[in-house]
Amino acid sequence: MKASRRVGLVGVGLMGHGIAANILRGGHALCFLDHPGNQPVEDLLGAGAVAKGSGREVAEAAEVVILCVTGSPQVEAVLFEPGGVLEGLAPGTLVIDCSTALPSSTERVAARVTAAGGRFMDAAMTRTPKEAEEGRLNLIVGAPEALFTEVRPLLECFAENIAHAGPVGAGHTLKLLHNFVSLGFTAVLAEAAAASRRAGIDDAALLDVLGKGGGGGVVLERLRPYIEAGDPSGFRFSVANALKDIGYYRTMTEDLAAEGGVAEAVLALYRQASDAGHADKPVPELVGLLEQSRV
């Protein structure tokens, strides 16, 4: 891609804010959809970003539109509802969906964007808002090889590791596989930590044994601050988002006629926590909730 692009962003949330900041640092022009769900945007405006009142206006001002919203219903809404992105899409405009979405929806979305004269890729994210602000996200991309090569320099503004998963839809498929593993490990470790406390095992001993054995890894390190000191900031991902992602994964396994028994158990735990009123809590707090039998 040429050095400087006109980029539009829909979704300046916990992850989208970091994407926006790094796009600006990369020398690109940026506009974004003004929305109550955005994080504070004064720094972005001060760096030259422009707020727009509708998805249509974002698309009209951009060569590349990046979507960073909650899931498939929100993606479809910002694209296709009246005043949405599709209404302002010029021929050749690229839509990059960084959301976590159902692959079946992604295929339909891509077909409608292409029919309107645009181009489409899914570029699902992993890592946390901290890495987003640092420009160190992981991206899992579904796109034709030529488009992936063309767009990679822009993606490198806000991502450290970029994997080409395959054609359109493959990025969202692999993201759901990743999140099932990550959130499944989280559920297993939370149950184990809660049981350990009930058994009177010292938290430090548990962390030492797991960390030096089969429980070591990224998920344990994200839960460690909560287990050690009640600090949930190591994994800023809500129970509601976990429930959504595991639900998407379970739907995908049904679409694929793939086994999903373990996913059902993981889904049940997050659903139980959500139904008990903990939907907005970060997932590390499952440890304390399970310990107290409040899930």
Side-chain angles (χ1 to χ4, degrees):
M1 299 184 75
K2 63 186 181 182
S4 180
R5 304 291 295 210
R6 290 180 288 110
V7 181
L9 179 64
V10 178
V12 189
L14 287 172
M15 302 294 276
H17 184 278
I19 292 174
N22 283 288
I23 286 171
L24 289 166
R25 292 183 194 118
H28 302 281
L30 179 74
C31 66
F32 61 88
L33 178 64
D34 191 16
H35 189 274
N38 287 349
Q39 292 292 296
V41 296
E42 288 76 12
D43 60 328
L44 303 179
L45 295 171
V50 177
K52 299 290 185 179
S54 69
R56 175 182 58 77
E57 292 176 27
V58 169
E60 288 172 343
E63 303 167 75
V64 179
V65 178
I66 298 174
L67 310 180
C68 188
V69 295
T70 303
S72 291
Q74 292 77 20
V75 169
E76 295 181 14
V78 300
L79 285 172
F80 305 136
E81 285 186 352
V85 167
L86 208 66
E87 289 186 3
L89 206 67
T93 298
L94 173 63
V95 175
I96 303 176
D97 184 10
C98 290
S99 310
T100 301
L102 277 167
S104 56
S105 171
T106 299
E107 292 173 5
R108 294 192 299 270
V109 165
R112 289 188 64 176
V113 169
T114 301
R119 302 183 294 166
F120 181 89
M121 69 161 49
D122 44 309
M125 305 173 290
T126 69
R127 290 190 164 171
T128 71
K130 177 179 181 292
E131 285 91 11
E133 290 292 340
E134 294 168 351
R136 298 178 50 246
L137 287 172
N138 292 341
L139 292 181
I140 312 166
V141 178
E145 183 72 42
L147 181 58
F148 174 72
T149 300
E150 175 193 338
V151 177
R152 183 166 187 145
L154 176 63
L155 303 180
E156 288 175 343
C157 287
F158 56 90
E160 180 178 34
N161 300 303
I162 304 171
H164 186 207
V168 168
H172 282 154
T173 298
L174 190 49
K175 169 64 182 293
L176 292 181
L177 289 163
H178 170 277
N179 278 22
F180 167 58
V181 172
S182 174
L183 294 167
F185 284 177
T186 300
V188 168
L189 287 168
E191 279 201 0
S196 175
R197 287 178 173 180
R198 289 223 166 191
I201 301 295
D202 183 74
D203 287 339
L206 174 73
L207 290 168
D208 182 60
V209 169
L210 291 179
K212 293 176 180 175
V218 171
V219 175
L220 180 65
E221 295 312 307
R222 288 180 177 174
L223 294 182
R224 182 182 292 274
Y226 184 84
I227 296 172
E228 286 182 329
D231 176 8
S233 63
F235 199 171
R236 294 172 65 193
F237 198 77
S238 71
V239 167
N241 278 332
L243 180 61
K244 182 260 296 180
D245 285 7
I246 299 297
Y248 279 5
Y249 175 81
R250 191 67 188 97
T251 298
M252 183 179 77
T253 61
E254 291 171 352
D255 290 343
L256 295 170
E259 180 57 47
V262 174
E264 283 288 354
V266 174
L267 183 64
L269 176 60
Y270 288 113
R271 182 182 290 122
Q272 190 178 355
S274 178
D275 290 348
H278 308 302
D280 293 333
K281 291 184 177 177
V283 293
E285 294 196 24
L286 283 175
V287 174
L289 296 171
L290 289 166
E291 180 193 5
Q292 298 170 42
S293 299
R294 292 198 316 217
V295 173

